[in-house]
Amino acid sequence: MIQILKHGKTATQKAEIDAGVRATVEAILADIETRGDAAVHEYSAKFDKWSPPSLRLTPSEIEDCINSLPKQAIDDIKFAQAQIKRFAQVQMLSMRDVEVETLPGVILGHKNIPMQSVGCYVPGGKYPLLASAHMGVLTAKVAGVKRVIACAPPYEGKPAAAIVAAMALAGADEIYVVGGVQAVAMMALGTENVAPVDMLVGPGNAYVAEAKRQLYGRVGIDLFAGPTETMVICDDTVDAELVAVDLLGQAEHGPNSPAVCITTSKKIAAELPAQIESVLKRLATRDIASVAWRDYGQIILCETDQEMLEEAERICSEHVQVMTKNPDWFLERMSNYGALFLGHRTNVSYGDKVIGTNHTLPTNRAGRYSGGLWVGKFIKTHTYQRVLTDEASVMIGEYCSRLCALEHFAGHQEQADIRVRRLSPAADTYA
């Protein structure tokens, strides 16, 4: 029997919050579309207290940011990017162009073509999340995107040096110090000085996520992202302290980040609230993480692994850590999640920062129908066809003509009929 020992906010309460965000974003997007660069600069000054003559960094300013970092920081960034690049290159190998002769004289195929221009948003107002530069910029470059522009807000009144370094080392073609809705709008809509992109990627706060949602259709987006979500599925093979650390490690993203423990261990379920309080005391981010746990934390006690699986599938969390006797049992059976972290030796932070998989993942139960950002998101698969012989065209044309007649599409039917008439000496039926 499944018991929910601690509840988070309801869907209705979350929707009320979303409505206010939606209206604010709509107004900002409309203003930037009308007034362009002037509006972007005004919102940057208003929200980030940042209003330099140009929001785009020059090569020398980028170099200054890189040189301001200690060698260890640069080495660490390069190590992380090497892992992400390596895995993205392996993923590329799973995508190949195809061409096949499906019938005598009929050739069908598809080509995988990278997008021409992508805008990558890197959050940085609260925390300088340089890892998002690896995940967006670097992965796009591995996919073969020609123009990748990147935006991040200022951090403590100046460009975030580590973010800028990560963007540059990942291969960004243009780097802008601008954040929030104004950054996303600038990239998607374009301004007098910034050419628009074809696709937006990258995580962000509720306002950035809503801006991407409203812009979808005018540009592509990686996915509809909400607040960071984490789930720990566990049994008595681990302890409550480890579970608490792993929940709070993601709850610190924001005060509305859900953190869910699903367990068959009565001991963990009983000890977890106290361990949460204990771990919070040693986290500098406790003011944020504590609110997230208070408002969105859940403890769900189950009797069996099957019940844990059912609850995990229902919730469909972005990050799912599985710390049980047999984590692969869940790998084989789960279908609704953003990414899995199997066993006590790994954790979400490894995936967020360095191990190689992408950290831009589906939230709000979108893992039911979408995976996360990967090299394939920057690739468009386009089909083509070729008919090599008159006989093949006539044969396909006769089928096509009859099928068009069933649909009462006269124009479509004539496209087939004219070819049958011209290519077949005995085609009176199609006159």
mmCIF file of all heavy atoms in Angstrom, residues 40-58:
data_model
loop_
_atom_site.group_PDB
_atom_site.id
_atom_site.type_symbol
_atom_site.label_atom_id
_atom_site.label_comp_id
_atom_site.label_asym_id
_atom_site.label_seq_id
_atom_site.Cartn_x
_atom_site.Cartn_y
_atom_site.Cartn_z
ATOM 1 N N VAL A 40 15.587 45.869 -25.109
ATOM 2 C CA VAL A 40 16.483 44.895 -24.471
ATOM 3 C C VAL A 40 17.376 45.591 -23.459
ATOM 4 O O VAL A 40 17.544 45.121 -22.315
ATOM 5 C CB VAL A 40 17.328 44.157 -25.534
ATOM 6 C CG1 VAL A 40 18.379 43.274 -24.845
ATOM 7 C CG2 VAL A 40 16.445 43.305 -26.432
ATOM 8 N N HIS A 41 17.960 46.714 -23.845
ATOM 9 C CA HIS A 41 18.835 47.454 -22.930
ATOM 10 C C HIS A 41 18.071 47.962 -21.711
ATOM 11 O O HIS A 41 18.581 47.915 -20.585
ATOM 12 C CB HIS A 41 19.492 48.627 -23.660
ATOM 13 C CG HIS A 41 20.682 48.229 -24.478
ATOM 14 N ND1 HIS A 41 21.978 48.330 -24.010
ATOM 15 C CD2 HIS A 41 20.777 47.715 -25.723
ATOM 16 C CE1 HIS A 41 22.821 47.908 -24.951
ATOM 17 N NE2 HIS A 41 22.116 47.523 -25.995
ATOM 18 N N GLU A 42 16.844 48.425 -21.912
ATOM 19 C CA GLU A 42 16.053 48.936 -20.788
ATOM 20 C C GLU A 42 15.720 47.831 -19.792
ATOM 21 O O GLU A 42 15.817 48.037 -18.570
ATOM 22 C CB GLU A 42 14.771 49.587 -21.309
ATOM 23 C CG GLU A 42 15.000 50.926 -21.967
ATOM 24 C CD GLU A 42 13.724 51.522 -22.530
ATOM 25 O OE1 GLU A 42 12.624 51.085 -22.106
ATOM 26 O OE2 GLU A 42 13.808 52.418 -23.392
ATOM 27 N N TYR A 43 15.334 46.668 -20.292
ATOM 28 C CA TYR A 43 15.019 45.570 -19.375
ATOM 29 C C TYR A 43 16.271 45.049 -18.687
ATOM 30 O O TYR A 43 16.225 44.642 -17.520
ATOM 31 C CB TYR A 43 14.305 44.439 -20.122
ATOM 32 C CG TYR A 43 12.875 44.777 -20.474
ATOM 33 C CD1 TYR A 43 12.485 44.921 -21.804
ATOM 34 C CD2 TYR A 43 11.916 44.982 -19.486
ATOM 35 C CE1 TYR A 43 11.173 45.252 -22.140
ATOM 36 C CE2 TYR A 43 10.605 45.309 -19.813
ATOM 37 C CZ TYR A 43 10.246 45.441 -21.140
ATOM 38 O OH TYR A 43 8.944 45.779 -21.457
ATOM 39 N N SER A 44 17.395 45.071 -19.372
ATOM 40 C CA SER A 44 18.643 44.660 -18.743
ATOM 41 C C SER A 44 18.988 45.601 -17.595
ATOM 42 O O SER A 44 19.400 45.160 -16.516
ATOM 43 C CB SER A 44 19.774 44.641 -19.775
ATOM 44 O OG SER A 44 20.996 44.253 -19.181
ATOM 45 N N ALA A 45 18.816 46.895 -17.814
ATOM 46 C CA ALA A 45 19.082 47.868 -16.751
ATOM 47 C C ALA A 45 18.096 47.711 -15.595
ATOM 48 O O ALA A 45 18.468 47.799 -14.417
ATOM 49 C CB ALA A 45 19.006 49.278 -17.317
ATOM 50 N N LYS A 46 16.844 47.437 -15.930
ATOM 51 C CA LYS A 46 15.809 47.322 -14.904
ATOM 52 C C LYS A 46 15.972 46.073 -14.047
ATOM 53 O O LYS A 46 15.932 46.140 -12.807
ATOM 54 C CB LYS A 46 14.427 47.302 -15.580
ATOM 55 C CG LYS A 46 13.268 47.103 -14.610
ATOM 56 C CD LYS A 46 11.936 47.085 -15.352
ATOM 57 C CE LYS A 46 10.765 46.857 -14.396
ATOM 58 N NZ LYS A 46 9.464 46.836 -15.123
ATOM 59 N N PHE A 47 16.175 44.931 -14.685
ATOM 60 C CA PHE A 47 16.190 43.662 -13.947
ATOM 61 C C PHE A 47 17.579 43.253 -13.452
ATOM 62 O O PHE A 47 17.700 42.616 -12.416
ATOM 63 C CB PHE A 47 15.615 42.545 -14.824
ATOM 64 C CG PHE A 47 14.162 42.724 -15.157
ATOM 65 C CD1 PHE A 47 13.733 42.714 -16.479
ATOM 66 C CD2 PHE A 47 13.215 42.915 -14.163
ATOM 67 C CE1 PHE A 47 12.389 42.870 -16.803
ATOM 68 C CE2 PHE A 47 11.874 43.075 -14.477
ATOM 69 C CZ PHE A 47 11.456 43.059 -15.790
ATOM 70 N N ASP A 48 18.613 43.608 -14.202
ATOM 71 C CA ASP A 48 19.965 43.159 -13.850
ATOM 72 C C ASP A 48 20.918 44.298 -13.502
ATOM 73 O O ASP A 48 22.098 44.051 -13.226
ATOM 74 C CB ASP A 48 20.568 42.346 -15.004
ATOM 75 C CG ASP A 48 19.898 41.004 -15.178
ATOM 76 O OD1 ASP A 48 19.471 40.430 -14.154
ATOM 77 O OD2 ASP A 48 19.793 40.523 -16.321
ATOM 78 N N LYS A 49 20.400 45.552 -13.535
ATOM 79 C CA LYS A 49 21.257 46.723 -13.255
ATOM 80 C C LYS A 49 22.496 46.692 -14.151
ATOM 81 O O LYS A 49 23.613 46.973 -13.721
ATOM 82 C CB LYS A 49 21.670 46.741 -11.776
ATOM 83 C CG LYS A 49 20.514 46.663 -10.792
ATOM 84 C CD LYS A 49 19.592 47.873 -10.913
ATOM 85 C CE LYS A 49 18.528 47.886 -9.834
ATOM 86 N NZ LYS A 49 17.512 46.820 -9.993
ATOM 87 N N TRP A 50 22.289 46.374 -15.411
ATOM 88 C CA TRP A 50 23.399 46.183 -16.356
ATOM 89 C C TRP A 50 23.066 46.909 -17.651
ATOM 90 O O TRP A 50 22.126 46.564 -18.342
ATOM 91 C CB TRP A 50 23.585 44.682 -16.615
ATOM 92 C CG TRP A 50 24.666 44.328 -17.573
ATOM 93 C CD1 TRP A 50 24.515 43.851 -18.849
ATOM 94 C CD2 TRP A 50 26.069 44.391 -17.353
ATOM 95 N NE1 TRP A 50 25.731 43.623 -19.432
ATOM 96 C CE2 TRP A 50 26.712 43.935 -18.527
ATOM 97 C CE3 TRP A 50 26.864 44.781 -16.271
ATOM 98 C CZ2 TRP A 50 28.103 43.871 -18.654
ATOM 99 C CZ3 TRP A 50 28.243 44.708 -16.382
ATOM 100 C CH2 TRP A 50 28.853 44.263 -17.559
ATOM 101 N N SER A 51 23.836 47.960 -17.976
ATOM 102 C CA SER A 51 23.527 48.744 -19.174
ATOM 103 C C SER A 51 24.798 49.282 -19.834
ATOM 104 O O SER A 51 24.984 50.495 -19.950
ATOM 105 C CB SER A 51 22.596 49.907 -18.817
ATOM 106 O OG SER A 51 23.164 50.688 -17.764
ATOM 107 N N PRO A 52 25.695 48.414 -20.278
ATOM 108 C CA PRO A 52 26.888 48.860 -21.006
ATOM 109 C C PRO A 52 26.492 49.322 -22.414
ATOM 110 O O PRO A 52 25.392 49.029 -22.879
ATOM 111 C CB PRO A 52 27.747 47.603 -21.065
ATOM 112 C CG PRO A 52 26.749 46.489 -21.080
ATOM 113 C CD PRO A 52 25.626 46.943 -20.193
ATOM 114 N N PRO A 53 27.369 50.035 -23.104
ATOM 115 C CA PRO A 53 27.043 50.461 -24.474
ATOM 116 C C PRO A 53 26.712 49.296 -25.391
ATOM 117 O O PRO A 53 25.835 49.393 -26.249
ATOM 118 C CB PRO A 53 28.321 51.183 -24.929
ATOM 119 C CG PRO A 53 28.986 51.626 -23.658
ATOM 120 C CD PRO A 53 28.665 50.576 -22.650
ATOM 121 N N SER A 54 27.420 48.174 -25.216
ATOM 122 C CA SER A 54 27.138 46.979 -26.013
ATOM 123 C C SER A 54 27.013 45.772 -25.100
ATOM 124 O O SER A 54 27.833 45.578 -24.197
ATOM 125 C CB SER A 54 28.264 46.738 -27.028
ATOM 126 O OG SER A 54 28.055 45.514 -27.719
ATOM 127 N N LEU A 55 25.990 44.972 -25.345
ATOM 128 C CA LEU A 55 25.800 43.758 -24.554
ATOM 129 C C LEU A 55 26.662 42.607 -25.069
ATOM 130 O O LEU A 55 26.862 41.627 -24.364
ATOM 131 C CB LEU A 55 24.322 43.341 -24.587
ATOM 132 C CG LEU A 55 23.345 44.355 -23.974
ATOM 133 C CD1 LEU A 55 21.902 43.926 -24.242
ATOM 134 C CD2 LEU A 55 23.577 44.523 -22.485
ATOM 135 N N ARG A 56 27.178 42.746 -26.295
ATOM 136 C CA ARG A 56 28.032 41.713 -26.860
ATOM 137 C C ARG A 56 29.483 41.924 -26.425
ATOM 138 O O ARG A 56 30.009 43.037 -26.492
ATOM 139 C CB ARG A 56 27.951 41.710 -28.382
ATOM 140 C CG ARG A 56 28.819 40.640 -29.032
ATOM 141 C CD ARG A 56 28.637 40.584 -30.546
ATOM 142 N NE ARG A 56 29.541 39.593 -31.132
ATOM 143 C CZ ARG A 56 29.578 39.281 -32.426
ATOM 144 N NH1 ARG A 56 28.753 39.904 -33.267
ATOM 145 N NH2 ARG A 56 30.424 38.374 -32.871
ATOM 146 N N LEU A 57 30.105 40.856 -25.966
ATOM 147 C CA LEU A 57 31.496 40.937 -25.545
ATOM 148 C C LEU A 57 32.421 40.919 -26.759
ATOM 149 O O LEU A 57 32.196 40.185 -27.727
ATOM 150 C CB LEU A 57 31.848 39.777 -24.624
ATOM 151 C CG LEU A 57 31.156 39.730 -23.262
ATOM 152 C CD1 LEU A 57 31.668 38.538 -22.454
ATOM 153 C CD2 LEU A 57 31.364 41.021 -22.477
ATOM 154 N N THR A 58 33.474 41.707 -26.684
ATOM 155 C CA THR A 58 34.491 41.710 -27.725
ATOM 156 C C THR A 58 35.466 40.562 -27.477
ATOM 157 O O THR A 58 35.529 40.005 -26.377
ATOM 158 C CB THR A 58 35.268 43.027 -27.699
ATOM 159 O OG1 THR A 58 35.985 43.119 -26.459
ATOM 160 C CG2 THR A 58 34.327 44.225 -27.843
#
